[in-house]
Amino acid sequence: RKEVEQDPGPFNVPEGATVAFNCTYSNSASQSFFWYRQDCRKEPKLLMSVYSSGNEDGRFTAQLNRASQYISLLIRDSKLSDSATYLCVEMDSSYKLIFGSGTRLLVRP
Amino acid sequence: EPEVTQTPSHQVTQMGQEVILRCVPISNHLYFYWYRQILGQKVEFLVSFYNNEISEKSEIFDDQFSVERPDGSNFTLKIRSTKLEDSAMYFCASSELVEDNEQFFGPGTRLTVL
């Protein structure tokens, strides 16, 4: 069974903190990975794609480790607006998305 | 900015009734998807659709479910005889290309089966 596993959290951090999430995937054949953000009772929204070389978008850095089959997301200088659930997502060989259960982040003032 | 829209935002129905959930994908997108999320659980793939036919469906997508693109803009999910366990948030998504490309999600329809 193809699974994406994440620590559900919640991660409770103060504003300005750096926080990191990891997730693992089981399907070694998958080629594409993403981090989505989901606010309470809203749709998932793409945060960033994840590449083996690592990619950065402002305060967010994503990394893929194919050998260990894990994906990471680093958020620097956390803002209150970063509070959300972060979904680790794998695109399988048939191009459907397989979602992790999500990691909740709470950023406190 | 173009977006995926879904109607209704909330549908309440009695067990055994048929429901049709509607989606308008982004206009130049060719690939369409339905996902669902039961409250407190992960988002799950239901079905993908391309060139007027189903590309893939999950084991959740049994004979009670069907999809249709009745015209050039709408993409619908029909549940023929709803069960209590069909209560969930149903998200429509679309993408321009299929591989390595963002799937844009609609705001979802919350289905409550009583």
Side-chain angles (χ1 to χ4, degrees), chain A residues 71-92:
Chain A
I71 300 150
S72 64
L73 177 68
L74 184 77
I75 305 175
R76 288 181 298 279
D77 188 23
S78 301
K79 311 288 183 197
L80 295 177
S81 56
D82 293 335
S83 296
T85 297
Y86 290 84
L87 307 175
C88 180
V89 183
E90 167 191 357
M91 178 178 279
D92 76 1

Side-chain angles (χ1 to χ4, degrees), chain A residues 1 3-5 32 34 36 38 41-44 46 49 51 87 91-92 94-97 99-101, chain B residues 33 35 37 39 42-45 48 56 59 89 91 98-103 105-108 110:
Chain A
R1 187 183 171 91
E3 295 280 353
V4 176
E5 301 289 339
S32 302
F34 309 92
Y36 275 73
Q38 186 175 31
R41 295 177 178 263
K42 301 282 189 181
E43 74 273 26
L46 180 67
S49 302
Y51 305 113
L87 307 175
M91 178 178 279
D92 76 1
S94 62
Y95 308 113
K96 68 177 181 286
L97 300 182
F99 285 80
S101 298
Chain B
Y33 312 85
Y35 293 83
Q37 187 175 31
L39 188 62
K42 61 177 70 174
V43 177
E44 301 173 287
F45 168 80
S48 56
E56 185 172 348
E59 56 193 28
M89 195 76 162
F91 294 109
V98 65
E99 67 276 5
D100 198 21
N101 198 257
E102 179 177 359
Q103 292 182 20
F105 282 74
R110 179 166 300 283

Side-chain angles (χ1 to χ4, degrees), chain A residues 13-33:
Chain A
V13 303
E15 260 187 300
T18 295
V19 62
F21 308 135
N22 292 326
C23 98
T24 58
Y25 62 94
S26 57
N27 185 2
S28 58
S30 290
Q31 296 297 310
S32 302
F33 302 89

Side-chain angles (χ1 to χ4, degrees), chain B residues 6 20 24 31 52-53 63 65 69 81 86:
Chain B
Q6 290 185 244
I20 298 176
V24 179
Y31 299 86
N52 280 320
E53 59 183 31
D63 293 345
F65 290 85
R69 187 150 163 85
S81 176
D86 293 328

Side-chain angles (χ1 to χ4, degrees), chain B residues 66-113:
Chain B
S66 62
V67 289
E68 195 177 31
R69 187 150 163 85
D71 52 44
S73 59
N74 290 284
F75 179 50
T76 62
L77 174 69
K78 182 194 292 186
I79 309 175
R80 262 180 274 282
S81 176
T82 50
K83 307 183 192 65
L84 295 177
E85 55 265 36
D86 293 328
S87 295
M89 195 76 162
Y90 287 80
F91 294 109
C92 173
S94 69
S95 65
E96 185 178 3
L97 304 171
V98 65
E99 67 276 5
D100 198 21
N101 198 257
E102 179 177 359
Q103 292 182 20
F104 290 81
F105 282 74
T109 292
R110 179 166 300 283
L111 176 65
T112 302
V113 182

